[in-house]
Amino acid sequence: MSSQSASSSENLLDELQATLAHGTVARRVETLRRVTDLFINGAVDFSNDQIALFDDVFQCLILHIEISARALLSNRLAPVDRAPPLTIRALAFDDVIEVAAPVLSQSERLDDETLIETARNKSQAHLMAISTRRVLSGAVTDVLVLRGNDEVVHSTVNNPGAEFSERGFTRLVNRAEGDDYIATCIGLRPTIPRHLYLKLLAKASATVRARLEAANPPLAREVSTAVREVTRRARSAPSAITHETAIAHALVKSLYEDGRLDEHQVAAFAEAGKFDEANAAIAALANVSVSIAENMMVETRAEGVMILAKISGMSWTAVRAIINMRDDLSGKERSDLEACKATYERLRPSTAQQVLRFHRMQQTSEPAPAA
């Protein structure tokens, strides 16, 4: 800081002390304006200690000024990369949205922890402001999708800088039923996990499928309006296979060829919530195609999982891990594990093979889409 700036700062601090002790509201606002001007004009050159000093000054002032002045301060500091962090945090937590919105939507000083705390405890207007940020992590969008109303969720899924965790995608797919806008937005995201993409397509309205086909012409040749055909064809469409899915399949293939793939590895994949790896692994052990295994794995009931596991000779411990993974990823009511265990123990390998043959015949006999 230059000697002139330092002198101005010292004079302002003296003025601040007098203003807080005896000044009128108008004088406090004028002092705030001058402090803000001084900070913005020299922010690039200030040291961390000097920024901390301004932080103290701002926090003292915002406790004694009216809403309009706080809102003006928020608007001025929001785009400043080195804005005083404690002041920015205080403005973000302000109950008045006109004060909070500028920093919630713009300030790079807000970390995920602060954004999550705000999203969990503040109004839908606060959530809306957060949803428009340039970048949103999966941890933040998890809360926005969980707590946000339709307007907030629409804004979030339409934000190109928003990332979504698998849990977030699961909630969105469930929420997309009856909401074509959400279904279209998340269907166009290349990072949506493949099993959730299939689930979305199977439940999508004809309008949504038409939009997805229009945005992705190769998919249009593969997807028909029949739900079963949509699901089956989407599995074979290259556009439905993400880069992450391809990596997962390659890893499982390597483990299988090296003789290192067993039920313990499948259970480990399932416990880690890695659907693509678990699906490809159980397909390899059951000696079926990945698409057939996937079809059985995403069924509403758990019988498909148990058929594949019985053919693979898996223990109940591994099967339970896979069922728990399915339940966690689907977000639906959890399976009755005791009933599943009883069914699995009664299931004969020969019966499982017969059911699997039915699944194979069903997939190969389905008609191709009309030209």
Side-chain angles (χ1 to χ4, degrees):
M1 185 186 295
S2 66
S3 58
Q4 182 177 357
S5 296
S7 177
S8 298
S9 178
E10 290 172 2
N11 292 337
L12 273 178
L13 289 176
D14 291 338
E15 180 181 337
L16 173 65
Q17 184 172 340
T19 299
L20 292 178
H22 309 292
T24 63
V25 171
R27 184 176 176 185
R28 288 170 183 165
V29 171
E30 174 58 23
T31 301
L32 176 65
R33 183 193 65 77
R34 293 181 59 196
V35 172
T36 307
D37 287 343
L38 179 64
F39 176 78
I40 291 177
N41 290 335
V44 175
D45 300 319
F46 291 148
S47 68
N48 290 335
D49 288 342
Q50 290 165 338
I51 291 175
L53 176 61
F54 275 98
D55 222 346
D56 292 338
V57 171
F58 282 126
Q59 288 185 85
C60 286
L61 284 171
I62 61 178
L63 293 174
H64 302 86
I65 57 175
E66 58 188 8
I67 291 174
S68 60
R70 296 203 308 277
L72 178 60
L73 176 65
S74 181
N75 273 290
R76 296 192 68 188
L77 292 182
V80 179
D81 290 341
R82 304 190 70 220
L86 297 180
T87 302
I88 292 294
R89 179 181 171 87
L91 294 170
F93 282 129
D94 201 300
D95 288 336
V96 179
I97 190 58
E98 290 79 8
V99 176
V103 295
L104 287 176
S105 60
Q106 299 179 58
S107 180
E108 299 294 332
R109 281 295 210 181
L110 294 176
D111 57 18
D112 277 2
E113 182 179 354
T114 302
L115 293 171
I116 290 170
E117 185 178 351
T118 306
R120 284 176 176 166
N121 297 288
K122 295 297 182 178
S123 72
Q124 291 296 315
H126 288 72
L127 271 64
M128 173 58 80
I130 295 172
S131 74
T132 65
R133 290 178 64 84
R134 182 178 61 85
V135 175
L136 289 170
S137 72
V140 175
T141 59
D142 272 354
V143 185
L144 295 179
V145 171
L146 177 64
R147 280 203 67 224
N149 58 22
D150 288 346
E151 187 178 8
V152 169
V153 173
H154 286 183
S155 176
T156 305
V157 298
N158 194 42
N159 185 339
E163 298 177 353
F164 297 93
S165 68
E166 185 152 341
R167 178 171 297 181
F169 271 122
T170 298
R171 287 173 177 154
L172 286 171
V173 169
N174 291 334
R175 195 158 181 167
E177 294 187 46
D179 192 321
D180 286 357
Y181 184 83
I182 293 178
T184 302
C185 285
I186 62 175
L188 292 174
R189 283 187 171 268
T191 56
I192 182 172
R194 192 170 177 225
H195 64 286
L196 293 176
Y197 179 73
L198 299 176
K199 180 178 179 180
L200 176 71
L201 275 181
K203 295 185 176 183
S205 68
T207 300
V208 170
R209 287 197 295 272
R211 290 173 181 168
L212 295 179
E213 291 166 7
N216 192 340
L219 186 63
R221 294 192 297 269
E222 299 291 338
V223 178
S224 75
T225 56
V227 169
R228 179 181 297 177
E229 188 62 12
V230 166
T231 305
R232 185 176 78 83
R233 289 293 178 177
R235 287 189 177 91
S236 62
S239 59
I241 302 177
T242 66
H243 179 62
E244 290 75 13
T245 298
I247 292 175
H249 290 179
L251 169 63
V252 171
K253 181 180 179 182
S254 175
L255 291 172
Y256 182 75
E257 292 176 346
D258 291 346
R260 294 183 290 138
L261 187 63
D262 56 20
E263 71 166 66
H264 302 295
Q265 184 61 69
V266 178
F269 285 142
E271 289 167 358
K274 297 182 177 180
F275 179 90
D276 288 326
E277 288 85 347
N279 180 70
I282 200 170
L285 293 177
N287 193 27
V288 300
S289 68
V290 171
S291 62
I292 288 177
E294 195 168 54
N295 186 30
M296 298 172 72
M297 287 277 279
V298 299
E299 289 175 350
T300 302
R301 298 169 65 86
E303 280 80 355
V305 170
M306 293 189 280
I307 294 296
L308 294 170
K310 181 63 71 169
I311 292 171
S312 304
M314 292 186 183
S315 68
W316 167 247
T317 300
V319 179
R320 182 179 60 198
I322 299 170
I323 293 174
N324 284 335
M325 174 193 68
R326 280 171 24 101
D327 291 347
D328 288 340
L329 295 180
S330 69
K332 298 293 187 181
E333 184 178 351
R334 301 194 71 82
S335 302
D336 184 340
L337 291 178
E338 288 300 318
C340 289
K341 181 179 180 182
T343 300
Y344 188 68
E345 290 176 345
R346 289 196 307 267
L347 181 63
R348 296 178 180 179
S350 59
T351 303
Q353 287 286 1
Q354 289 176 342
V355 176
L356 180 59
R357 281 197 293 271
F358 171 78
H359 277 276
R360 282 175 168 148
M361 290 173 58
Q362 187 180 42
Q363 176 157 328
T364 57
S365 65
E366 285 175 343

